[in-house]
Every structure is written in C-alpha cells, then in structure tokens.
Amino acid sequence: SQTIHQWPATLVQPVGSPLSLECTVEGTSNPNLYWYRQAAGRGLQLLFYSVGIGQISSEVPQNLSASRPQDRQFILSYKKLLLSDSGFYLCAWSVMTEAFFGQGTRLTVV
Amino acid sequence: DQQVKQNSPSLSVQEGRISILNCDYTNSMFDYFLWYKKYPAEGPTFLISISSIKDKNEDGRFTVFLNKSAKHLSLHIVPSQPGDSAVYFCAASTRGGADGLTFGKGTHLIIQP
C-alpha cells in the first residue's frame, strides 16, 4: 500500500533561520507531489507541485522553494523564515482521482 | 480571489441528525470535486468525491450533491456521529482528478451529544 512520510511533526524556529521540510512516498512510482500550507484562519493553499524529478511548479511567489531530488522525495525550503511563515504544512501525492496527505508539520516561527 | 468558498466557518449539529456542509465555487472549469476531513494536527483524509458529469455520489453515511448550474455542492452526513466532529474541506480541480486542488477555508463541524 502507498504511504507518505512527513517530518518533523512540530517545529519551532527563530525568525531569519533557514528551514527544510522533507516528504517521502512509498508504494508508488512517479507520483505527482504537492506542498500545501494552512495558515491560521485560512484554507489549504497549494505552494508547489511536481510531476517528476527536477520538475517544480510554483503556485505562489514566496520566500521559499521546493526540490525533488528523487522520484519519491519532495523538499520544501526556506532561506530565511518570517513570522508569517508559521502554519501547518502538508505534503501530498495524487494519482488519478485521489490525493493523499501526510500527517503535516506544525511550524511556529518565533 | 477565492475560487472555492465555504461560507460557514462552523456548524453545530445534534448527534443522530443530518449534517449538511455547503461549498460554492466560481471557476466553471472545475470538473472534479472532493471533500476532506481533518482532525487537529493531522493531515486531511479523503472522504468522497464527485465528477462534474454526475450530480450525486453516495458512500455509506456520506452523500455529495453537485449543482453545476448553481456552482454549488454539498456534503450530507446521515446520521451524524460524535467522531464526525472535525474540519471539512471542499476541494476542486480543473484536471479531472486530484491534481492541483483548490481548497475552501473549511467548515468546523461540531456534533453535540
């Protein structure tokens, strides 16, 4: 069966520090991968999606980037965190008519 | 510009009754709609979906209705159970599947005993 791993579950980071969140998928090949963010009082917002290794599409102009170094690995990176980057980050993968989410990372920037 | 709107931030329903969660959309190119349920500090879990060629899809206690002319869909939960208390997200796609979903802000459903 397919599973998606996302870590860490919670993170507290100072303003201005860099950050990387990692997501890996098992049990499938060449999945479409996504990073979403849920900020307080807002819905889930698509940040990046990838249809293959090295292929990244950005949905929002932000101080962050994403990379897909391997087929089943998707990384979200910040160079310098802002207070407004606090939120709940979700990795997801999709096939046909379903999307599956990781457990999420709660990021608090202080 | 919010393309998928869930205008009720919260909804309180008595256990055993029907819960109806509503969702409106503005993009007429959306052709696939999904509902997700989310508990605090967890990722959303898929509940039910519907293609734009249908107007109803049913799965156990969950039924989704789609009114394309009104650009409106709703999720019915019958009967409501305490475990249904969660945030429900409506999502839509223009690609016929679950690619690049656009989500609403969610509705917090509270089932009262």
Side-chain angles (χ1 to χ4, degrees), chain A residues 51-72:
Chain A
V51 298
I53 295 174
Q55 300 178 63
I56 309 293
S57 296
S58 174
E59 293 291 309
V60 289
Q62 297 277 0
N63 60 328
L64 72 167
S65 61
S67 62
R68 186 169 176 176
Q70 299 179 45
D71 180 44
R72 287 171 279 183

Side-chain angles (χ1 to χ4, degrees), chain B residues 48-51 53-58 62-67:
Chain B
I48 192 168
S49 62
I50 188 167
S51 165
I53 63 173
K54 293 186 172 182
D55 55 21
K56 177 183 172 183
N57 189 24
E58 192 172 353
F62 302 93
T63 303
V64 56
F65 296 91
L66 175 63
N67 182 335

Side-chain angles (χ1 to χ4, degrees), chain B residues 13-57:
Chain B
V13 175
Q14 203 164 15
E15 182 179 356
R17 299 280 182 105
I18 180 172
S19 295
I20 300 177
L21 298 112
N22 293 305
C23 177
D24 297 291
Y25 61 95
T26 57
N27 187 347
S28 58
M29 299 300 291
F30 286 141
D31 57 7
Y32 199 77
F33 304 89
L34 306 91
W35 283 94
Y36 285 85
K37 175 181 178 180
K38 184 181 180 299
Y39 293 117
E42 291 185 13
T45 53
F46 171 75
L47 267 180
I48 192 168
S49 62
I50 188 167
S51 165
S52 59
I53 63 173
K54 293 186 172 182
D55 55 21
K56 177 183 172 183
N57 189 24

Side-chain angles (χ1 to χ4, degrees), chain A residues 32 34 36 94 96-97 99 101-102, chain B residues 32 36 43 89 97-101:
Chain A
N32 288 352
Y34 309 88
Y36 288 89
S94 74
M96 297 302 287
T97 57
F101 290 84
Chain B
Y32 199 77
Y36 285 85
F89 288 96
D99 272 6
L101 298 172

